[in-house]
Amino acid sequence: MSSMTHTEQLSVRSRRQIDGWRWTGRIFLAILLIFTVVPIAWMFITSLKTGFAAMQYPPQWWPAAPTLENYTRLLDTRDSVGQDFLRYFFNSMYVSVLTTILAILVAVPAAYAFSRFSFPGRTFLFFAVLMRNMFPAVVFLVPLFILMRVLGLVNTHGSLILTYLTFGLPLAIWLLKGFYDNIPIQLEQAARIDGATRFQAFFFIVMPLSTPGIIATAIYSFIGAWNEYIYAYTFLTRQDQMTLPVGIQRFFSENATDWPGLMAATFMMSVPVVVLFLVLQKYFVRALTEGAVKS
Amino acid sequence: MAEVILNQVVKTYGSIYAVNHVSLTVADGEFVALVGPSGCGKTTTLNLIAGLIPMSGGDIYIGDKLVNDLDPKDRDIAMVFQNYALYPNKTVFKNLAFPLQMRKLSKDVIDSKVMAAAKVLDITHLLERKPRELSGGQQQRVALGRALVRDPRAFLMDEPLSNLDAKLRVQMRSELKRFHHELNATVVYVTHDQLEAVTMSDKMAVMDGGYLQQYDTPKNVFDHPRNTFVASFVGSPAMSLFPLEIIGAGTSVSLGSPEGWSFPLNELNSRKANASTGKKVILGARHSTITVHKTAHPGAVPGKVYTVEPTGDVTFAQVFVGDSIVVVSVEPQVMLRLDEPVWLEFDQDRMHLFDGQTQLALNPA
């Protein structure tokens, strides 16, 4: 029993090697996790502190007297801070949801057309759509502002929705096109022979199969619109129209910054995105692995 | 069931003719195979009958109805696809029910029709499964079930057996034939496999380059190929074709090769050779009509064995005659060695002569 056969030695060695790699991976993930989780944790911990506790040095890792006061204030409709916060939250929700709905309504038929029909200029048009993504978003700030002013859309939520669509649609169309490319055209043909109109074939057969892609598109559009700062800051000047990323700046003031209040607001702001992502992440991963990669 | 008539049907993509003035009539209850190599236009023709792609010209009738401008759903046809095209997110039951739901039938009627079709195809135990949980053969049956669940006027089938393994394919071939017989169904069946076409169809339409090359019973296509393409496409191993020169005229013509040998034709073949537009003809001979001699023989042409393929029942050999390869068959006990000289004698009653220029079969002048 003391001596191992050659193959046993080999398998032990390779198992050690695998274990080694597994540990390397775990350590790497742990570092990554610290990098992403610590700021969020610190944001949450600070949001439970009083203004005084937040500024203490050395810092309190966990507040001596945790309080929910920062949250109750944000949700209090009688408090002016709460009123503003809820208004920004509503504005952000309005802009993001509308952007998401419009993005799907446009991206689904566009992607389907790019995937299924051949028409003059198809390659050029598809390239033109994707070209938007080759430039940083900020490059379009001034031209879009001028355009919005000409259209009379400055200081309207419409300007933001249009802008976010401009940024979100190229990827959405590209992602969904990958999905439709992978759905055999014979399925639609079979449906049309079975008695469906072209639209029914799309609606009953193709669309259910592209649900993961549509959900991924929705998440992507929503998060993009929800987090956007620079355009919201430039296009909207009226207080009552502001979206959350711009609105929470109000916690900074000339004399003092309400850190716990700011952290509570940012934490509340991340809740919809996190919830959305947790619920739908299964589809999101499937969309990115299935749709974009040709089988 | 109904007849299907194609009249001068054309489909172009830019300047390319995918289907070039094809006319054919599929009689009520007939099984017609559209056969040809890939890119010959057979699937395009089927899609035109189905209405899945627009025609560039011509007329298509299903029954007595002109269907040129009708949507697929209004043509009352059923189609079986090569990849089966089962709806992956629906159960077998819902796959079969879909064509009936689209026709707004009541739930009771749908249930009974689906059960009836499932019973015929022996798939009742699979009704609650999703397509991906089925084997290839089972998927094939479901696809067939979805086609026959609603008594269409014609069945269109696009290489329905080509995704099955060899054994299952042979089995489904006979089942499809049985099914055609029992339903007295009009079937248009696309395949690239000439053996499928020959064994299953009442008539076969051989296509190449967008043209209908020949439309006839498998026996006639096999025995009287209209041109060199059909001759070389139908039959396995393929008919051997090689170009020869006409020597002499009248009723005693010989065919000669550049190498210098020649052999005389009988009277009928002489008259055929006389109908040629030029001095060149193409001789066509199936392996079964060629006798192999190991020594020089009057009227036989010299060749050299190139490859030998024993299959058990029969041994095939490729023989170089001049620059052309001729496939011959011999009894398994006949031993042929590579590079061995042999003499080939053609059965004059069963050989084919084609015009060297037009490639068309020659008829006696």
Side-chain angles (χ1 to χ4, degrees), chain B residues 118-354:
Chain B
K119 207 163 183 180
V120 169
L121 290 164
D122 196 20
I123 51 172
T124 35
H125 57 296
L126 306 173
L127 286 175
E128 290 315 311
R129 296 210 201 154
K130 291 269 179 75
R132 67 168 173 277
E133 298 160 348
L134 305 177
S135 70
Q138 290 169 333
Q139 291 184 4
Q140 228 281 326
R141 281 164 186 277
V142 176
L144 211 54
R146 193 176 61 186
L148 66 86
V149 76
R150 49 157 242 257
D151 318 316
R153 297 208 288 174
F155 289 95
L156 309 180
M157 303 192 184
D158 187 4
E159 310 228 9
L161 304 185
S162 59
N163 281 6
L164 301 176
D165 61 55
K167 195 172 159 218
L168 200 54
R169 182 158 43 206
V170 173
Q171 185 197 332
M172 283 308 287
R173 204 159 72 193
S174 11
E175 281 197 34
L176 267 182
K177 215 169 156 177
R178 189 76 220 168
F179 151 85
H180 163 248
H181 172 74
E182 271 159 25
L183 267 73
N184 196 22
T186 307
V187 178
V188 183
Y189 184 102
V190 162
T191 177
H192 66 272
D193 181 352
Q194 56 89 24
L195 185 64
E196 253 175 45
V198 169
T199 51
M200 296 173 77
S201 66
D202 298 321
K203 270 186 180 175
M204 57 197 282
V206 186
M207 292 188 71
D208 186 46
Y211 288 99
L212 181 58
Q213 303 287 341
Q214 189 165 4
Y215 182 47
D216 211 330
T217 61
K219 182 164 170 44
N220 280 344
V221 171
F222 190 84
D223 291 342
H224 307 288
R226 233 190 105 234
N227 56 32
T228 50
F229 171 78
V230 178
S232 60
F233 186 79
V234 179
S236 176
M239 184 189 285
S240 303
L241 297 168
F242 54 109
L244 294 169
E245 196 104 4
I246 299 173
I247 302 168
T251 52
S252 58
V253 173
S254 293
L255 294 182
S257 79
E259 292 82 37
W261 51 259
S262 69
F263 69 94
L265 291 175
N266 65 13
E267 197 211 321
L268 181 70
N269 284 326
S270 296
R271 280 167 54 209
K272 284 185 183 173
N274 284 334
S276 170
T277 49
K279 278 280 162 204
K280 292 191 186 310
V281 293
I282 294 165
L283 171 69
R286 295 196 190 279
H287 66 91
S288 54
T289 69
I290 303 171
T291 313
V292 179
H293 299 282
K294 290 221 172 196
T295 53
H297 190 90
V301 305
K304 204 160 91 173
V305 175
Y306 182 58
T307 63
V308 180
E309 293 175 344
T311 64
D313 285 343
V314 58
T315 297
F316 292 107
Q318 296 186 329
V319 177
F320 259 111
V321 176
D323 293 334
S324 308
I325 285 210
V326 176
V327 178
V328 300
S329 57
V330 292
E331 297 282 313
Q333 61 272 22
V334 176
M335 299 309 285
L336 290 175
R337 280 171 293 109
L338 299 190
D339 295 326
E340 179 182 355
V342 289
W343 284 261
L344 308 182
E345 184 186 0
F346 300 102
D347 180 347
Q348 296 248 350
D349 295 332
R350 293 195 287 164
M351 75 155 89
H352 302 265
L353 288 176
F354 301 94

Side-chain angles (χ1 to χ4, degrees), chain B residues 53-70:
Chain B
I53 49 175
M55 278 196 291
S56 310
D59 291 319
I60 294 179
Y61 295 87
I62 296 172
D64 45 9
K65 199 154 78 173
L66 181 67
V67 298
N68 290 7
D69 300 318
L70 289 186

Side-chain angles (χ1 to χ4, degrees), chain A residues 184 186-198 200-201 204-205 208-209, chain B residues 52 72-73 77-79 81 83 85-90 98-99 102-103 146 150:
Chain A
Q186 284 83 6
L187 288 181
E188 285 158 73
Q189 295 182 332
R192 288 173 66 200
I193 285 171
D194 283 345
T197 62
R198 209 171 179 131
Q200 284 173 324
F204 289 130
I205 304 298
L209 291 173
Chain B
L52 293 170
K73 70 183 174 69
I77 40 155
M79 190 152 164
F81 291 85
N83 58 8
L86 300 178
Y87 309 127
N89 50 340
K90 294 182 189 292
F98 186 76
M102 283 290 116
R103 280 176 173 69
R146 193 176 61 186
R150 49 157 242 257

Side-chain angles (χ1 to χ4, degrees), chain A residues 177-228:
Chain A
K177 180 181 177 289
F179 258 86
Y180 294 130
D181 284 348
N182 277 349
I183 298 176
I185 193 162
Q186 284 83 6
L187 288 181
E188 285 158 73
Q189 295 182 332
R192 288 173 66 200
I193 285 171
D194 283 345
T197 62
R198 209 171 179 131
F199 181 76
Q200 284 173 324
F202 173 74
F203 195 78
F204 289 130
I205 304 298
V206 177
M207 224 166 60
L209 291 173
S210 62
T211 318
I214 293 174
I215 287 173
T217 304
I219 296 181
Y220 177 80
S221 308
F222 184 88
I223 293 177
W226 184 260
N227 288 342
E228 202 282 326

